[in-house]
Amino acid sequence: MTVPLPEHISKQQFEKLPDSPGVYYFLDHNGAIIYIGKSIHIKQRVLSHFYASHRETKERKLALATHAFDYTKTAGELSALLLESREIKRHNPLFNRRLRRQRSLYSWSLTEEPANTQAQIVEAQWPPPSSQLTYGLYRSPAQAKKALLDVAQKHQLCCQQLGLEASTRGCFNLQLNRCRGACIGRETASHHKERVLLALASHDASIWPYPSAIAVREHGASQLAVFDRWFFLGEAESIEHATQLCNQANAQLLDRDSYRILLGFLTRGAVDQLTVLDKLHTVNSSL
């Protein structure tokens, strides 16, 4: 496979990149860092930038400005994520600002009224507001609607009561025996609301599957990473040190994508050690 590198970058520079987890750096002709990224396969990810430069203007500008590479290996995906975040804040590279896309994500919002299950699509906020019941993070309203329809079908919820159908009579799922009759009074509105909340519990946009902060050691890492909800509290040498971090105020708000990566990482069980810490760390979620 031909590597689509600009003429001013030697293939030897590219070949020195490892195909392992870590953080990579693009340098300009003066050696200044102009872009920082992370990957579990550094060489492949760097190569993808140059393939994208043939169809994306911003990536083409990055390719033309790059004259050398550098990298830092990490134990795995999680430590690469944390190192990238620190390094971007430290160096504030030009192309991280230029390539950052402000993507709008969407969630379903429910009122706290016990008998009201009308769901509304809202633009997702980060961090999730504690005053609003929001569920899911979707790339488009259409994706959000499909996801809620799937939940309704799986749990025999009423699409009319959810606001997915405008009919004043029984909903379509009722005809297919996929609705328990909230739309015609067969099921009470309050009981339907209880089932809706139960069905959507695992889609909670602000879900944190632990009672308090956690300390995580991924495979091959020497230190523990400490998190509480969507905040990174720091790295610790021991559980005792991790517990101490729960009492300090210097918490770093993860961005939304990083939080989703963290949850996925934990769900896959890709850790050597995960400890739920005794002391609950309380942070201001309005930061």
Side-chain angles (χ1 to χ4, degrees):
M1 181 184 297
T2 302
V3 180
L5 297 175
E7 293 181 358
H8 56 275
I9 299 178
S10 69
K11 187 176 181 180
Q12 288 71 26
Q13 289 188 62
F14 173 77
E15 293 298 337
K16 290 179 181 179
L17 294 172
D19 201 16
S20 57
V23 171
Y24 59 91
Y25 306 81
F26 284 13
L27 313 177
D28 68 9
H29 63 285
N30 292 318
I33 297 172
I34 58 175
Y35 182 77
I36 298 173
K38 67 174 183 305
S39 179
I40 58 173
H41 301 290
I42 292 177
K43 181 180 288 186
Q44 292 181 29
R45 182 67 185 96
V46 169
L47 181 60
S48 72
H49 281 284
F50 292 99
Y51 276 115
S53 69
H54 293 284
R55 61 180 184 275
E56 298 180 20
T57 301
K58 292 180 179 179
E59 290 280 10
R60 182 160 57 251
K61 289 180 179 178
L62 173 61
L64 292 174
T66 300
H67 285 252
F69 309 116
D70 200 357
Y71 62 89
T72 300
K73 291 184 180 181
T74 62
E77 180 182 10
L78 182 58
S79 48
L81 167 71
L82 299 175
L83 177 60
E84 180 201 38
S85 178
R86 291 198 300 270
E87 288 289 84
I88 289 176
K89 287 179 173 60
R90 176 186 173 193
H91 296 284
N92 193 26
L94 173 63
F95 280 90
N96 285 90
R97 299 195 298 272
R98 287 184 177 178
L99 292 175
R100 188 181 297 123
R101 291 181 291 179
Q102 299 298 326
R103 292 186 295 122
S104 291
L105 295 178
Y106 300 89
S107 297
W108 284 107
S109 174
L110 293 178
T111 175
E112 292 188 357
E113 296 175 19
N116 188 341
T117 54
Q118 288 282 317
Q120 291 186 324
I121 295 177
V122 297
E123 189 166 325
Q125 299 181 49
W126 190 256
S130 58
S131 59
Q132 193 175 26
L133 298 175
T134 54
Y135 301 91
L137 289 173
Y138 307 102
R139 295 186 182 90
S140 67
Q143 186 187 54
K145 183 175 181 179
K146 182 182 184 305
L148 189 56
L149 283 169
D150 290 344
V151 170
Q153 181 171 327
K154 179 179 179 180
H155 296 274
Q156 295 184 309
L157 302 175
C158 179
C159 290
Q160 183 191 106
Q161 293 295 303
L162 286 170
L164 296 172
E165 291 182 16
S167 173
T168 57
R169 296 182 291 178
C171 70
F172 182 68
N173 273 352
L174 182 67
Q175 302 174 38
L176 302 176
N177 294 319
R178 295 174 181 168
C179 169
R180 297 185 185 177
C183 46
I184 59 172
R186 186 185 300 166
E187 179 182 30
T188 66
S190 59
H191 186 260
H192 184 252
K193 179 65 172 282
E194 290 177 5
R195 294 200 305 111
V196 168
L197 294 177
L198 184 62
L200 290 174
S202 63
H203 298 262
D204 191 334
S206 59
I207 192 171
W208 180 242
Y210 307 98
S212 60
I214 61 170
V216 178
R217 192 193 313 276
E218 70 177 319
H219 300 318
S222 60
Q223 292 187 310
L224 294 160
V226 186
F227 301 92
D228 186 10
R229 292 177 289 165
W230 39 86
F231 289 88
F232 172 55
L233 308 187
E235 292 182 318
E237 304 292 337
S238 64
I239 294 298
E240 292 74 18
H241 183 200
T243 302
Q244 293 172 8
L245 290 178
C246 294
N247 299 317
Q248 54 88 26
N250 189 27
Q252 174 187 329
L253 177 65
L254 297 171
D255 62 49
R256 192 160 41 199
D257 288 338
S258 296
Y259 177 71
R260 295 174 74 183
I261 292 172
L262 171 62
L263 283 187
F265 183 89
L266 297 174
T267 301
R268 294 195 304 274
V271 295
D272 278 341
Q273 179 182 355
L274 191 157
T275 304
V276 178
L277 303 175
D278 293 332
K279 294 185 179 181
L280 178 64
H281 177 252
T282 303
V283 290
N284 182 2
S285 62
S286 65
L287 290 174

